[in-house]
Amino acid sequence: MKILSQVVLEDEEIKRLKTISKGLEVVVAPSTDDAVKEAADADVFFGRIPRPVFLEAKKLRWIQVFGAGVETCFFPELVESDVVLTNTSGAFNHVVADHTFALILAISRGIAYYVKNQSKKIWERSRAFHQLAGQTLGIVGLGKIGCEIARRGKAFGMDVAAADIRAMECPVFVDQLWGMEDVGEVLNRADYLVVIVPLTPETRGMIGAAELGKMKPTAHLINIGRGPVVDEIALIDALKNGTIAGAGLDVFEEEPLPPENELWEMENVVISPHMGGLAPETRALSFEIFLENFREFVAGKPLRNVINKKRQF
């Protein structure tokens, strides 16, 4: 059996994989060109598989994506194949939820504003910022990360309103839960609207001018999932004309965010460079998910985090 990995693996990690399957070959090929050369006899791929690599991988049975987002994998040949696709969902729950509240607190307590003043040695307290208790946290996408964001919101004393595409029982840390057909209820109520849905054909541009128009003029949008879920042109217009008060953004339609993008210069926007999921802990947890899945794969058992390739999540 052969694992082809575009994720750089430590010697100890390779050793742990080899204890699961005798005679296992593990090849690390970070570049696409190198991966193409090694793909023909690979049974398992670890990473975000490029299309040229997949087309050469005639024996491939399983792809373990390193990360939660899988939108780059849905080229026709993979979607129509019998190859199983999984991700490392669950590894990023806490760090992304932490980063979400870093953005919210940067806005609610004016941290971004004061950091700018710090570089200029300006001592100025004239702006009034507010507490989170009593505010409404709206969450679009109540998956694993969404639930951790909701838990933190409840701990801050916020009312939590959420919408999700899946039918589920309302968690105790969520005050109101709707289906996506009623997402307008969340938009109307939210003081902070967190968007954390996967990028699919259905979610691309789902937060546009009409949706932003349903929000309070005092509300802030937090996009922590995927940039193209929010119509960026509509968002910039909404931020300019006061449709909403501001935004905290970790993801964008084009990344890196181009220097000419107007979002850079907006005082009512807090920006981070798509690093909400980055932490040493997420790297370690992602490998542990892969390791456990490989153990199940060798034993012929169902895998964790299997993606529905037709629905793309």
Side-chain angles (χ1 to χ4, degrees):
M1 186 179 295
K2 177 177 175 178
I3 294 174
L4 176 58
S5 176
Q6 281 202 308
V7 178
V8 176
L9 298 172
E10 302 292 336
D11 290 343
E12 181 60 28
E13 292 173 330
I14 293 174
K15 186 182 299 184
R16 292 178 68 192
L17 288 165
K18 288 185 174 181
T19 63
I20 296 171
S21 176
K22 291 183 179 180
L24 175 67
E25 181 185 4
V26 180
V27 176
V28 176
S31 77
T32 297
D33 287 345
D34 288 342
V36 166
K37 296 174 185 176
E38 294 286 348
D41 58 345
D43 301 280
V44 178
F45 186 89
F46 184 35
R48 296 181 183 275
I49 192 164
R51 183 172 177 268
V53 177
F54 181 81
L55 295 179
E56 292 297 322
K58 305 302 183 183
K59 289 181 58 182
L60 196 64
R61 292 182 283 158
W62 167 41
I63 298 166
Q64 173 71 71
V65 173
F66 180 70
V70 292
E71 65 274 2
T72 61
C73 297
F74 297 116
F75 39 85
E77 295 87 352
L78 175 52
V79 172
E80 298 301 325
S81 76
D82 294 327
V83 177
V84 177
L85 181 67
T86 63
N87 66 5
T88 55
S89 174
F92 306 90
N93 299 356
H94 291 291
V95 69
V96 175
D98 288 350
H99 195 79
T100 299
F101 267 85
L103 292 172
I104 290 174
L105 288 166
I107 294 166
S108 68
R109 298 307 305 156
I111 302 302
Y113 173 74
Y114 292 128
V115 166
K116 290 178 182 177
N117 279 356
Q118 179 180 341
S119 64
K120 301 172 186 176
K121 300 180 182 179
I122 296 174
W123 182 275
E124 186 266 308
R125 304 189 293 180
S126 62
R127 293 198 179 188
F129 298 100
H130 57 77
Q131 66 179 27
L132 294 181
Q135 299 279 299
T136 295
L137 175 66
I139 302 173
V140 180
L142 196 64
K144 295 175 183 177
I145 296 173
C147 282
E148 289 302 327
I149 294 168
R151 290 179 195 274
R152 284 159 177 73
K154 185 53 63 177
F156 272 100
M158 303 179 80
D159 296 319
V160 180
D164 196 88
I165 194 171
R166 295 158 292 194
M168 65 177 76
E169 186 174 335
C170 187
V172 296
F173 45 82
V174 174
D175 297 290
Q176 296 168 305
L177 176 62
W178 288 273
M180 289 303 294
E181 67 277 7
D182 294 316
V183 69
E185 298 288 346
V186 180
L187 300 176
N188 290 336
R189 288 167 168 75
D191 295 297
Y192 291 90
L193 180 73
V194 178
V195 183
I196 181 67
V197 295
L199 179 59
T200 70
E202 288 72 29
T203 63
R204 184 178 292 272
M206 70 175 291
I207 304 296
E211 290 72 27
L212 293 165
K214 294 178 182 178
M215 295 174 65
K216 301 174 183 177
T218 54
H220 289 76
L221 174 75
I222 310 294
N223 192 2
I224 196 74
R226 286 293 184 265
V229 170
V230 176
D231 182 333
E232 205 164 273
I233 293 175
L235 175 60
I236 290 171
D237 286 344
L239 291 166
K240 282 181 173 180
N241 62 32
T243 300
I244 63 173
L249 306 172
D250 186 54
V251 291
F252 305 87
E253 287 188 355
E254 182 181 351
E255 296 179 359
L257 186 64
E260 65 273 13
N261 192 296
E262 293 181 80
L263 291 168
W264 284 114
E265 303 298 329
M266 291 186 167
E267 289 192 1
N268 56 346
V269 176
V270 177
I271 287 174
S272 58
H274 199 158
M275 46 75 64
L278 299 183
E281 295 87 351
T282 62
R283 169 63 176 78
L285 287 169
S286 292
F287 177 76
E288 292 302 323
I289 292 171
F290 174 43
L291 186 72
E292 183 57 33
N293 255 356
F294 183 60
R295 185 174 286 111
E296 300 299 281
F297 178 76
V298 171
K301 296 181 180 179
L303 303 183
R304 173 180 173 182
N305 293 341
V306 174
I307 301 299
N308 184 320
K309 291 185 290 184
K310 298 295 184 182
R311 300 189 73 183
Q312 301 191 7
F313 68 88

